[in-house]
Amino acid sequence: MQIFENDHIQLIEDQSIVYIELKKEGFTLKDFDRILKKNPRIKLTSFASLRKALNGEPGERVEIGSWLPPIEIVVSRDRMLATMYINDDPAKIFNDEEMMNKQIREIAENVGVKFGIHTLTLDDVKSGKPVTVASGLPPKSGQDAKVNYLEIPDRKPQILSDGRADYFDMNFIFEIEQDAWLGEKIPAQPGTPGKNVLGEVILATDGKDVALNYDSASIYEQEEDGKLVIKAKNGGVLENKNGKLSIHKHIQVKNDVGVETGNLTFDGSITISGTVVAGYSIVASGDISIEDVEGVTGAKLIESKFGDVYIRGGIFGNSETVVRAGGNIYVKHTNDSTLHALKDIFIDSYSLGSNLKAQNVYVNEQNGKIIGGYVEATHSIHTAISGNRLERKTALVITLPDRKDSAKVIIDKQDKIIHLEKEIADLDAKVFPVKPFLEKLNEIQRQTYDDTVEKIHQKETELKQLEREVDEIVQQIRNMGDEKISITKEAFPGTYIQIGKKSTTLTKVTCGDFLLENGELNV
């Protein structure tokens, strides 16, 4: 088929190949470019061959390109789009919309397009620009699982308008009842498959699962209305430690701990509506809350192995009372007492002649006072006033751990942890097979079983304590470098300040943040 002819050249199509034949010299590349613009179906594939032909001998036929169909449909590499390229004047190809769509569909099907073919209008194609004629349906990923937990109130004092911390309304013990709702999970949803323009199914990604994190010994799981719901096996105190929910046993002492109760030791949390009478002790694995607004006078020992201690009133220790906590200590005031918290100590009013030890010690920075005694922290000490006008000696000390010594201690404790974990696993292996047959055991066998369970419990308690001690040392090392003693109003003469190995005793009234700058105290 002849495409074009003039006095100089003729263009011939044969089996979709375009040839040029020179008839007379003098036809330029610029002249040929005008022909290409008028004949968009010509696709030049060899510019070098064209140049050679125009400069060659007349009569020679040379292949220079290909003859495009009036309509081309090309499928994208990802098979999600089919695009139509119009290689001629659209008005010559299309004049009836219905016939146009039928023609496009036939061409699309010939190249394998089976899905998502669009219906076009004449206006869609009149510009001659590429037009999308089919679109695939992308797969839709499933929704991820969603987890919601019962919100536990923050264990923080309410800050009043004058800046004081109100320690009298803390919701310290968060108690729940048996079968109470604790959380739920909406399971991950399956994805919706897609399909490409060739009709091939594209698999979808299912939503990601998220685990409900809880202690299976105290919390159970059941399905309700397509959700996984967790509930309390028994009533007790709900705690969230490192994102894991658990319920601990809880007892309530309606009156005082004293003659009627004797000393109390309990594996769980204790709430005391009254006080702890002088000379008596309470030890619990969980939190301890003493609600009497008058506080505690002369109690011997108040100790929470792994939880917090909250004393709504103050402590009059008479140089006898010791309060220890595996977590934090919250108290209104303390007189002549010893307080040791593995985490922080919070005091609302004052500390008088007491020995305090924690990571951080916070005495109300609006008007709190530390007068006399010895306060030791590993990170920071905060108060409004230290010492008094009588220049009573008041020691505020920040201890800095030695990295090498700390590393040795950590290694030693980790070795003990590994040893304990092995011992617990060995003991578990002895009792686990026996559990289904407890009712069939004789008296001696049952006693052996109970003794072994008690050993496991003791070793688990020891393991928890070691792990907490390691965490404390690691936290101290991480926090090294920003230690400070903050006294917002008055630091009286007689106040002894020490950070690491650097120390001084104040000789005049001052205030501010005391810290190490270039290895020296900024006093």
Side-chain angles (χ1 to χ4, degrees):
M1 180 187 78
Q2 188 178 76
I3 301 171
F4 174 84
E5 184 176 19
N6 64 13
D7 292 341
H8 292 272
I9 65 168
Q10 68 171 332
L11 298 175
I12 302 160
E13 179 269 329
D14 185 10
Q15 296 183 356
S16 298
I17 297 175
V18 176
Y19 298 92
I20 185 171
E21 186 178 310
L22 187 66
K23 296 168 63 177
K24 185 172 70 173
E25 296 177 354
F27 199 75
T28 66
L29 291 171
K30 189 175 181 180
D31 296 329
F32 190 82
D33 187 55
R34 286 193 284 267
I35 295 173
L36 287 178
K37 289 179 180 178
K38 292 181 180 180
N39 293 273
R41 293 181 63 182
I42 299 175
K43 182 180 180 181
L44 187 64
T45 57
S46 178
F47 184 79
S49 297
L50 173 63
R51 173 177 287 180
K52 182 178 179 181
L54 293 177
N55 294 325
E57 295 294 327
E60 184 179 356
R61 181 176 291 189
V62 179
E63 178 184 340
I64 60 168
S66 57
W67 182 243
L68 301 175
I71 301 171
E72 280 185 293
I73 293 180
V74 178
V75 176
S76 64
R77 186 171 295 179
D78 64 2
R79 302 181 180 182
M80 293 301 289
L81 287 177
T83 304
M84 178 175 70
Y85 296 89
I86 301 172
N87 299 318
D88 209 338
D89 182 0
K92 293 180 182 179
I93 306 171
F94 309 122
N95 51 32
D96 179 270
E97 202 164 273
E98 183 177 348
M99 290 299 297
M100 175 188 72
N101 280 291
K102 182 179 179 182
Q103 184 180 1
I104 292 171
R105 183 174 291 273
E106 289 175 352
I107 298 171
E109 290 175 350
N110 285 337
V111 295
V113 177
K114 300 177 181 178
F115 177 80
I117 299 176
H118 301 173
T119 298
L120 305 177
T121 67
L122 289 172
D123 287 339
D124 293 330
V125 301
K126 68 181 181 181
S127 68
K129 294 180 180 179
V131 179
T132 299
V133 296
S135 301
L137 179 66
K140 186 177 180 181
S141 297
Q143 286 189 337
D144 295 341
K146 294 181 180 178
V147 170
N148 294 306
Y149 294 107
L150 178 64
E151 187 174 349
I152 301 176
D154 286 339
R155 189 170 285 181
K156 293 180 180 179
Q158 181 182 358
I159 304 301
L160 302 177
S161 58
D162 62 359
R164 290 187 299 108
D166 181 6
Y167 285 80
F168 288 85
D169 187 16
M170 284 184 60
N171 293 317
F172 189 78
I173 298 290
F174 188 63
E175 191 169 11
I176 50 89
E177 297 179 353
Q178 183 177 354
D179 297 319
W181 181 95
L182 303 179
E184 65 183 22
K185 177 172 77 171
I186 300 173
Q189 301 299 307
T192 303
K195 191 178 285 188
N196 62 31
V197 296
L198 302 185
E200 299 167 337
V201 174
I202 305 171
L203 298 178
T205 303
D206 293 339
K208 295 179 181 178
D209 190 27
V210 179
L212 281 163
N213 196 4
Y214 62 91
D215 170 33
S216 59
S218 58
I219 297 172
Y220 68 93
E221 178 183 297
Q222 66 182 35
E223 188 173 345
E224 293 181 6
D225 300 325
K227 300 177 183 178
L228 287 175
V229 178
I230 54 174
K231 295 184 177 181
K233 284 186 178 180
N234 300 288
V237 175
L238 180 64
E239 291 190 356
N240 187 333
K241 296 290 186 183
N242 300 319
K244 184 176 183 178
L245 285 185
S246 60
I247 297 170
H248 296 275
K249 290 180 287 185
H250 176 236
I251 59 170
Q252 177 117 20
V253 180
K254 297 297 184 181
N255 297 305
D256 297 337
V257 171
V259 176
E260 292 184 4
T261 64
N263 295 323
L264 288 185
T265 300
F266 183 64
D267 184 14
S269 297
I270 300 178
T271 299
I272 301 167
S273 299
T275 186
V276 180
V277 175
Y280 285 86
S281 300
I282 54 173
V283 178
S285 61
D287 299 321
I288 297 173
S289 178
I290 302 173
E291 300 290 340
D292 194 320
V293 295
E294 298 300 325
V296 174
T297 300
K300 184 176 181 182
L301 173 65
I302 300 168
E303 180 176 11
S304 168
K305 296 287 188 181
F306 306 111
D308 297 343
V309 173
Y310 168 63
I311 301 175
R312 184 180 290 267
I315 305 173
F316 294 93
N318 300 331
S319 300
E320 295 288 338
T321 302
V322 175
V323 180
R324 290 198 289 259
N328 304 309
I329 296 174
Y330 303 87
V331 64
K332 185 171 180 60
H333 59 76
T334 172
N335 295 56
D336 299 319
S337 309
T338 296
L339 279 62
H340 182 190
L342 205 59
K343 291 185 179 179
D344 301 330
I345 294 174
F346 298 87
I347 300 173
D348 180 49
S349 181
Y350 66 85
S351 171
L352 179 62
S354 295
N355 294 324
L356 314 178
K357 185 176 182 181
Q359 290 183 22
N360 301 280
V361 175
Y362 300 95
V363 182
N364 194 316
E365 290 186 281
Q366 297 295 317
N367 50 25
K369 301 175 182 179
I370 300 176
I371 302 173
Y374 184 89
V375 181
E376 179 182 336
T378 57
H379 187 242
S380 67
I381 299 171
H382 305 261
T383 186
I385 298 168
S386 69
N388 61 13
R389 298 186 186 280
L390 299 178
E391 300 187 10
R392 181 171 177 175
K393 185 175 180 180
T394 303
L396 308 180
V397 177
I398 303 288
T399 58
L400 302 181
D402 182 276
R403 288 184 180 273
K404 289 183 179 179
D405 291 343
S406 297
K408 290 178 182 177
V409 173
I410 289 173
I411 291 171
D412 180 57
K413 290 183 182 295
Q414 285 177 334
D415 288 341
K416 291 179 181 178
I417 287 171
I418 292 170
H419 182 68
L420 274 172
E421 288 174 335
K422 185 178 183 306
E423 286 185 326
I424 292 169
D426 290 342
L427 291 171
D428 275 334
K430 291 179 180 179
V431 300
F432 183 76
V434 182
K435 285 183 180 180
F437 310 104
L438 291 181
E439 295 179 359
K440 298 179 181 180
L441 300 180
N442 61 38
E443 187 175 343
I444 296 175
Q445 291 171 330
R446 182 57 191 252
Q447 185 62 50
T448 302
Y449 173 86
D450 291 341
D451 290 345
T452 305
V453 170
E454 179 60 26
K455 280 184 182 179
I456 292 173
H457 181 74
Q458 291 173 355
K459 291 184 181 298
E460 285 177 337
T461 301
E462 187 179 349
L463 177 64
K464 284 183 181 179
Q465 183 63 32
L466 282 169
E467 288 174 338
R468 293 172 81 91
E469 289 172 0
V470 169
D471 288 342
E472 180 185 19
I473 296 170
V474 170
Q475 193 63 40
Q476 288 177 11
I477 294 173
R478 285 177 179 171
N479 290 336
M480 284 182 65
D482 57 353
E483 299 83 3
K484 71 174 181 178
I485 297 172
S486 177
I487 304 172
T488 57
K489 288 189 175 180
E490 291 178 300
F492 286 98
T495 297
Y496 173 80
I497 289 176
Q498 178 179 334
I499 300 179
K501 296 180 179 179
K502 303 298 180 179
S503 63
T504 188
T505 299
L506 300 181
T507 56
K508 62 180 181 179
V509 177
T510 185
C511 67
D513 288 344
F514 300 90
L515 44 88
L516 292 179
E517 293 181 346
N518 298 319
E520 299 294 333
L521 272 173
N522 63 337
V523 179

